[in-house]
């Protein structure tokens, strides 16, 4: 009898403690929550996750009539899928792993007016004691149910692979009936640019963290025929997938044609900029592995200034993404290959090590180039301008956008130390650089900048036919038709015999003027008809 009284006393004390706990209101339909035991994580489950809970339930003024503890295992369900009462879906979504809480669920979020006879009468308020044991995250990767990913083991950190990275994975792909179709127990490395095995692989890997293990359920629409071989039509593919690691790849040009794969991480966070003095070691190879170029060594690395025209801009741009001591493999598409010996290759590969660099400073340019003679400066400008003209005819021209001519101008922008003959040559080269750069801007549809560059030439040389012609082209594209006509007429007058391109632009101008005139007539006629 004394023991019985003790149990009742403990129960009363427990009920009293619960009543004194702070209460949280969830939603706007009367659901309340009191936390008995805090969770050990900051995460909460999301809709679609597979949940495991222990629970007991009673009526508001009654005794416990159901408990998962009596069954010896947690209760499992999918959150937010309508598999449990609405009060559970809303309440458990606020819980953390290992959290235990009391939920008071009103009838409208439980069994409503009908109840669940014989245990739950109509319009019953239920009191649940729920412990969130664990959950497996399930994600709809494609948003259409085509690829469902259930996380078996959480990964490390927060980073995930990007579109161009190379992933190392282990996997087992099987049909819905359990037949193994493909597997890699030792690990396989593939680029996320490629659809290795099936499209679901790369889509899923890009959502995973290092060390993460997941189970994928893939609908046939996200499978290849080769993987579906041996499967029954319209059945899902199951993939057990583990992301071991990945190699970071940088899309240097933004169009996936110049890719840099990280082999060894460099020091610090600083990288070279335009004009930086870099020390590199590299080997250039064709796609079949044939070495076509080799520069520098660890003892005597190649030293040069970035984007000064010594190498292709694509390679320089890749080096400018590297850190001191970094080693990388750069793959350059044939569109951007600027070495005549490899013009027939689909791509070339450079193994590069950035030994060291000195970031560009005004003092460096002053110390390095200030010792150059005026003759050498002019010779270097001619070399850069000639290279730019050569590159402008290539498919990869949009990458350069006149950078060499911009660099060339830096050598001759201050001509106070030139003699009269050198100043004359300097002006000629400067005007040529402006016009080359204007051609670049026209190609990339930067017509405003193209007109400004041509105007700089015309300011010093009003009779420069090429400048008048290119400025007219720029004006025409931005519908400055009157200005375009003035420049074209002047160019035709200055060079009436050798002006085929100018005449073609003049013809285009007249057609556009006629089109605008017809448009104005139509508008005027419409206005008159409305007034009448």
């Amino acid at each position: 009898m004394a023991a019985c009284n003790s149990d009742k006393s403990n129960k009363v004390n427990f009920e009293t403690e619960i009543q004194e706990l702070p209460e949280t209101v969830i939603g706007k339909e009367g659901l309340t929550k009191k936390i008995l035991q805090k969770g050990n994580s900051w995460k909460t489950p999301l809709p679609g996750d597979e949940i495991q809970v222990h629970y007991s339930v009673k009526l508001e003024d009654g005794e416990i009539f159901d408990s998962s503890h009596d069954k010896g295992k947690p209760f499992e369900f999918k959150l937010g899928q309508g598999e449990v009462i609405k009060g559970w879906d809303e309440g458990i979504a606020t819980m953390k792993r290992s959290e235990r809480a009391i939920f008071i669920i009103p009838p409208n979020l439980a069994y409503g007016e009908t109840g669940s006879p014989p245990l739950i009468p109509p319009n019953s308020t239920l009191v649940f004691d729920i412990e969130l044991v664990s959950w497996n995250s399930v994600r709809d990767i494609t948003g259409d149910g085509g690829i469902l990913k259930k996380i078996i083991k959480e990964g490390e950190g927060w980073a995930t692979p990007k579109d161009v990275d190379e992933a190392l994975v282990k996997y087992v792909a099987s049909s819905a009936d359990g037949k193994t179709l493909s597997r890699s127990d030792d690990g396989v490395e593939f680029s996320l640019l490629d659809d290795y095995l099936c499209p679901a692989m790369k889509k899923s890997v890009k959502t995973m963290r290092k060390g993460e293990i997941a189970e994928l359920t893939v609908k046939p629409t996200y499978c290849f025929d080769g993987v579906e071989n041996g499967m029954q039509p319209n059945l899902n593919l199951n993939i057990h997938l583990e992301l071991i690691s990945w190699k970071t790849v940088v899309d240097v040009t933004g169009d996936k044609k110049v890719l840099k794969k990280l082999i060894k991480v460099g020091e610090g966070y600083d990288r070279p900029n335009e004009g930086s003095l870099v020390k590199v070691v590299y080997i250039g190879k064709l796609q079949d592995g044939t070495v076509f170029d080799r520069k520098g060594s660890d003892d005597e690395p190649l030293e040069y200034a970035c984007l000064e025209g010594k190498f292709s801009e694509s390679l320089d741009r890749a080096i400018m993404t590297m850190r001191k001591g970094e080693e990388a493999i750069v793959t350059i598409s044939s569109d951007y290959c600027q070495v005549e010996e490899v013009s027939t290759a689909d791509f070339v590969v450079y193994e590069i090590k950035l030994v060291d660099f000195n970031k560009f400073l005004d003092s460096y340019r002053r110390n390095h180039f200030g010792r150059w003679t005026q003759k050498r400066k002019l010779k270097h400008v001619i070399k850069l301008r000639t290279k730019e003209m050569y590159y402008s005819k290539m498919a990869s021209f949009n990458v350069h956008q006149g950078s060499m001519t911009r660099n060339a101008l830096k050598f001759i922008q201050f001509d106070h130390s030139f003699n009269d003959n050198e100043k004359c040559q300097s002006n000629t080269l400067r005007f040529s650089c402006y016009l080359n750069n204007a051609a670049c801007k026209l190609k990339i549809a930067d017509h405003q900048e193209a007109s400004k560059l041509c105007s700089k030439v015309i300011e010093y040389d009003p009779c420069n036919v090429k400048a008048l012609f290119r400025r007219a082209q720029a004006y025409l594209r931005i519908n400055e038709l009157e200005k375009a006509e003035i420049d074209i007429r002047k160019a035709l007058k200055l060079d009436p015999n050798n002006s085929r391109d100018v005449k073609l632009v003049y013809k285009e101008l007249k057609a556009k003027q006629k089109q605008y005139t017809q448009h104005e007539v139509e508008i005027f006629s419409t206005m008159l008809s409305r007034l009448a």
Side-chain angles (χ1 to χ4, degrees):
M1 181 65 71
C4 183
N5 289 335
S6 177
D7 290 342
K8 289 181 179 179
S9 176
N10 290 337
K11 182 177 179 181
V12 170
N13 291 336
F14 182 66
E15 294 288 348
T16 302
E17 289 176 5
I18 290 176
Q19 290 177 3
E20 292 176 353
L21 289 172
E23 184 176 84
T24 302
V25 178
I26 299 172
K28 299 180 179 180
E29 298 186 63
L31 175 63
T32 62
K33 171 185 176 183
K34 294 183 178 183
I35 297 176
L36 300 177
Q37 174 183 298
K38 292 184 178 181
N40 57 16
S41 172
W42 58 269
K43 294 182 180 179
T44 56
L46 297 173
D49 289 351
E50 294 182 351
I51 309 294
Q52 298 91 42
V53 298
H54 270 304
Y55 73 92
S56 61
V57 57
K58 66 176 185 175
L59 298 177
E60 193 170 21
D61 297 320
E63 298 293 327
I64 293 174
F65 61 82
D66 188 20
S67 173
S68 63
H69 297 281
D70 297 338
K71 300 168 186 175
K73 63 178 183 178
F75 176 75
E76 299 183 3
F77 70 99
K78 288 184 179 178
L79 186 66
Q81 306 302 306
E83 295 182 1
V84 293
I85 59 175
K86 190 175 180 181
W88 268 43
D89 275 339
E90 292 186 6
I92 292 175
T94 69
M95 299 183 73
K96 300 176 177 65
R97 196 181 304 273
S98 298
E99 181 180 317
R100 183 183 168 201
I102 298 293
F103 290 94
I104 300 176
I105 303 179
N108 53 305
L109 297 178
Y111 294 94
E113 297 178 355
T114 59
S116 181
L119 296 176
I120 304 174
N123 296 312
S124 295
T125 296
L126 301 178
V127 180
F128 280 92
D129 182 344
I130 299 177
E131 179 187 358
L132 179 55
V133 178
S134 186
W135 74 85
N136 292 321
S137 297
V138 178
R139 299 289 177 268
D140 183 354
I141 292 175
T142 55
D144 59 1
I147 306 174
L148 297 179
K149 184 187 80 168
K150 179 170 72 173
I151 299 176
I152 305 302
K153 177 188 173 185
E154 294 281 354
E156 306 170 9
W158 54 268
T160 56
K162 300 298 184 291
D163 289 343
V164 295
D165 289 346
E166 293 186 0
L168 177 63
V169 302
K170 292 181 181 180
Y171 72 90
V172 179
S174 57
S175 57
D177 59 5
K179 180 182 178 182
T180 299
L181 304 175
S182 179
R183 67 186 302 150
S184 175
D185 296 328
D186 297 328
V188 61
E189 190 174 54
F190 68 98
S191 171
L192 296 183
L193 290 171
D194 303 327
D195 284 325
Y196 178 78
L197 188 69
C198 67
M201 285 282 279
K202 72 174 184 181
K203 289 180 180 293
S204 302
V205 166
K206 286 189 285 188
T207 69
M208 299 175 71
R209 294 176 293 159
K210 183 180 179 181
E212 182 177 320
I213 300 176
E215 295 282 353
L216 307 179
T217 303
V218 185
K219 287 186 176 180
T221 50
Y222 290 93
C223 299
F224 286 135
D225 293 338
V227 175
E228 290 182 352
N229 186 27
M231 294 176 59
Q232 297 180 27
N234 301 320
L235 290 184
N236 293 336
L237 172 71
N238 298 319
I239 303 177
H240 180 87
L241 182 62
E242 177 182 357
L243 176 59
I244 301 171
S245 62
W246 71 87
K247 292 177 181 175
T248 301
V249 177
V250 177
D251 185 358
V252 177
T253 52
D255 56 5
K256 300 180 177 64
K257 293 186 177 181
V258 181
L259 301 175
K260 186 202 77 173
K261 179 169 67 175
L262 181 65
I263 302 301
K264 179 183 175 183
V265 177
E267 306 171 12
Y269 298 95
D270 212 5
R271 297 178 174 87
N273 61 352
E274 182 177 347
S276 292
L277 187 65
V278 298
K279 296 180 180 180
V280 298
V281 178
Y282 77 78
I283 300 173
K285 298 180 180 179
L286 302 179
Q287 58 202 73
D288 62 1
T290 304
V291 175
F292 69 86
D293 194 12
R294 187 190 298 267
K295 290 287 192 300
S297 65
D298 288 336
D299 295 331
E300 294 185 13
L302 172 68
E303 185 175 4
Y304 74 99
C306 285
L307 293 182
E308 296 294 352
K310 189 174 183 65
F311 299 111
S312 73
E313 184 169 343
S314 303
L315 184 59
D316 269 1
R317 293 287 181 191
I319 291 172
M320 288 165 63
T321 68
M322 299 176 69
R323 300 170 182 172
K324 179 182 177 181
E326 181 177 323
E327 296 179 20
I329 294 177
V330 177
T331 304
I332 302 178
S333 168
S334 59
D335 293 343
Y336 290 168
C337 288
Q338 296 162 0
V339 183
E340 294 180 3
E341 292 83 351
V342 298
S343 60
T344 58
D346 292 333
F347 61 87
V348 294
V349 177
Y350 288 92
E351 298 175 2
I352 302 177
K353 178 180 180 180
L354 178 58
V355 178
D356 198 1
F357 69 91
N358 289 317
K359 205 158 188 176
F360 167 76
L361 298 171
D362 288 341
S363 59
Y364 161 69
R365 186 174 292 276
R366 189 164 56 248
N367 293 336
H368 187 66
F369 295 114
R371 294 192 297 268
W372 284 16
T373 64
Q374 313 311 324
K375 184 177 180 181
R376 187 179 179 188
K377 287 182 180 179
L378 293 172
K379 186 177 179 180
H380 187 66
V381 171
I382 293 171
K383 181 180 177 181
L384 291 177
R385 183 177 59 86
T386 304
K387 279 196 173 185
E388 184 73 37
M389 293 174 68
Y390 168 71
Y391 291 144
S392 69
K393 300 173 184 178
M394 302 176 64
S396 60
F397 178 70
N398 63 325
V399 173
H400 302 279
Q401 298 179 5
S403 63
M404 289 186 184
T405 52
R406 290 197 301 274
N407 287 332
L409 284 168
K410 295 174 184 177
F411 290 90
I412 53 177
Q413 60 183 338
F414 303 111
D415 59 359
H416 53 270
S417 59
F418 291 171
N419 59 36
D420 291 341
N421 185 45
E422 289 169 343
K423 283 184 179 180
C424 181
Q425 190 178 359
S426 172
N427 282 335
T428 302
L429 288 172
R430 183 184 293 112
F431 298 155
S432 180
C433 288
Y434 284 147
L435 291 175
N436 279 0
N437 208 353
C440 297
K441 299 302 180 183
L442 286 172
K443 279 204 170 189
I444 63 172
D446 189 354
H447 302 116
Q448 292 283 5
E449 188 62 26
S451 66
K452 291 178 182 178
L453 290 166
C454 292
S455 295
K456 289 182 178 180
V457 178
I458 294 169
E459 182 181 351
Y460 288 95
D461 183 7
C463 296
N464 191 302
V465 175
K466 188 177 288 187
L468 290 167
F469 169 60
R470 288 183 180 167
R471 190 171 72 171
Q473 285 181 296
Y475 283 153
L476 186 60
R477 297 295 176 266
I478 58 178
N479 294 321
E480 295 277 3
L481 302 186
E482 292 182 2
K483 292 181 179 179
E485 185 171 13
I486 292 172
D487 282 351
I488 290 175
R489 285 182 178 276
K490 189 170 183 179
L492 286 170
K493 184 177 180 181
L494 290 168
D495 189 8
N497 298 322
N498 189 20
S499 54
R500 178 177 174 275
D501 291 337
V502 180
K503 289 178 180 177
L504 288 174
V505 173
Y506 187 57
K507 185 177 180 181
E508 183 184 350
L509 169 68
K510 286 301 179 184
K512 206 164 190 178
Q513 286 176 331
K514 184 178 179 181
Q515 180 183 353
Y516 269 73
T517 302
Q518 290 175 346
H519 180 63
E520 289 175 350
V521 169
E522 289 174 3
I523 293 175
F524 187 66
S525 299
T526 303
M527 291 173 61
L528 288 177
S529 63
R530 288 179 179 175
L531 289 172

